[in-house]
Amino acid sequence: MTTLEPPRLARTLLHRLALDNEPLAGDLVEEFRRRQSRLWLWRQLIVALVIQTLYAPHPPVALNLTPVDPVVAEWLMWKKLDRKKKVNLTGSPIEGIGGLTMVILGFMMTSVIPAIWWFVVAGIVSGVALGLVMVKSHHGTLNRRSEGQKFGGYLT
Amino acid sequence: MGRELLTDFELMILLAILRVGDRAYGVPIAHEIEGTGRRNVVLGAVYAALERLERNGLVSSRMGNPSPERGGRAKRFFDVTPQGLKAVKETQRSLVALWKGVAQLKGGTA
């Protein structure tokens, strides 16, 4: 003779079934105690759960989505906010090119056309010279303006 | 109501409720179908059909009190509505009309 209590797993499944259909779970327990057949209970329980899952109306529930991986979230946000901004890890003077890229580029240039460095040096020297000239001329302009303001009211 | 005629299982369930009377819930309905209707039933299927019949207004239900022999779970009692009774009668009329005049069915059971 089998026990009057349903097996442990069946009790768990009955509890799950009772959340959706309490009277059906109660009927299964009542009939199981009368028949005392585990085979009958398992057959009834499995079919009931399948029917309940397939045919019972499910109310719409908001999706409880897990937040995406923080790294992915940050990448998505970066992409959304400022797609053009490049990461410059070593503070290279050229926008969008990192220090490592500069080193690699310099190495390649040196290996292919070493003479190009003379042009680079010449460019830097001429740039500095041009800058100095512009600063000097700017200062001269400022001095003349200040002199003019100083006596302007009387000379004109 | 969506349909006029019932499926054979729905018809059996409605007839079982009418036969059981006021205290018709899942277990006696299934017993009635198994005993009188001579058909094995699964309680889950009975409840699925009862839900469908209730949605169509052919049965109504009310909850009973929880009882210890059912693991503290309540019974759900079912009644056939006037609409359900009408559907049973219409199905009976249709089936009887189809039965009449079938030569193979005359002269006792097969």
Side-chain angles (χ1 to χ4, degrees):
Chain A
M1 183 176 169
T2 54
T3 175
L4 282 171
E5 282 302 311
R8 184 191 292 266
L9 180 59
R11 282 205 303 274
T12 307
L13 292 174
L14 279 166
H15 180 70
R16 171 68 190 82
L17 179 66
L19 297 175
D20 292 326
N21 196 336
E22 184 191 323
L24 173 56
D27 283 1
L28 290 175
V29 172
E30 181 185 330
E31 190 63 0
F32 167 73
R33 286 180 177 162
R34 192 184 71 82
R35 292 182 186 242
Q36 298 192 3
S37 164
R38 286 184 178 184
L39 189 65
W40 177 90
L41 178 66
W42 278 116
R43 178 171 168 263
Q44 295 278 334
L45 192 51
I46 289 166
V47 173
L49 285 167
V50 169
I51 289 173
Q52 195 69 34
T53 307
L54 291 178
Y55 299 110
H58 296 287
V61 178
L63 290 173
N64 187 17
L65 295 174
T66 309
V68 289
D69 185 272
V71 175
V72 176
E74 191 170 342
W75 179 76
L76 287 171
M77 190 176 286
W78 168 77
K79 201 175 170 187
K80 183 92 177 169
L81 292 177
D82 189 2
R83 298 181 66 169
K84 290 174 183 167
K85 190 176 178 184
K86 301 287 187 298
V87 178
N88 195 347
L89 295 173
T90 54
S92 164
I94 300 174
E95 173 95 17
I97 300 178
L100 185 62
T101 311
M102 290 286 283
V103 169
I104 293 169
L105 190 63
F107 177 76
M108 287 168 72
M109 281 166 62
T110 308
S111 60
V112 176
I113 23 175
I116 200 165
W117 288 114
W118 291 114
F119 290 95
V120 173
V121 171
I124 291 169
V125 170
S126 60
V128 169
L130 184 65
L132 286 171
V133 170
M134 286 179 77
V135 167
K136 195 166 179 62
S137 102
H138 187 64
H139 273 265
T141 310
L142 284 176
N143 286 338
R144 277 197 297 278
R145 271 188 196 165
S146 61
E147 288 292 319
Q149 280 175 353
K150 203 181 282 178
F151 304 104
Y154 304 101
L155 289 175
T156 52
Chain B
M1 194 180 102
R3 290 176 308 193
E4 294 299 324
L5 292 181
L6 304 162
T7 65
D8 62 335
F9 192 51
E10 289 171 346
L11 181 63
M12 280 182 154
I13 286 175
L14 288 173
L15 289 170
I17 295 171
L18 290 168
R19 289 172 70 89
V20 172
D22 287 343
R23 310 286 294 171
Y25 65 98
V27 172
I29 292 170
H31 284 174
E32 194 64 35
I33 295 171
E34 283 180 339
T36 313
R38 284 185 286 178
R39 176 171 170 169
N40 286 326
V41 292
V42 178
L43 276 166
V46 171
Y47 270 89
L50 283 166
E51 296 277 356
R52 197 166 57 242
L53 289 168
E54 190 165 30
R55 276 202 303 275
N56 290 332
L58 303 182
V59 300
S60 60
S61 67
R62 63 190 191 282
M63 293 299 286
N65 294 322
S67 54
E69 69 270 14
R70 295 166 55 83
R73 294 179 179 107
K75 290 175 184 171
R76 186 176 170 190
F77 296 105
F78 293 91
D79 294 301
V80 178
T81 62
Q83 218 173 352
L85 201 59
K86 187 183 165 200
V88 170
K89 286 177 180 171
E90 282 175 3
T91 307
Q92 183 195 25
R93 264 198 296 274
S94 301
L95 290 174
V96 169
L98 284 167
W99 241 277
K100 282 178 184 171
V102 179
Q104 293 91 326
L105 295 174
K106 285 179 181 169
T109 54

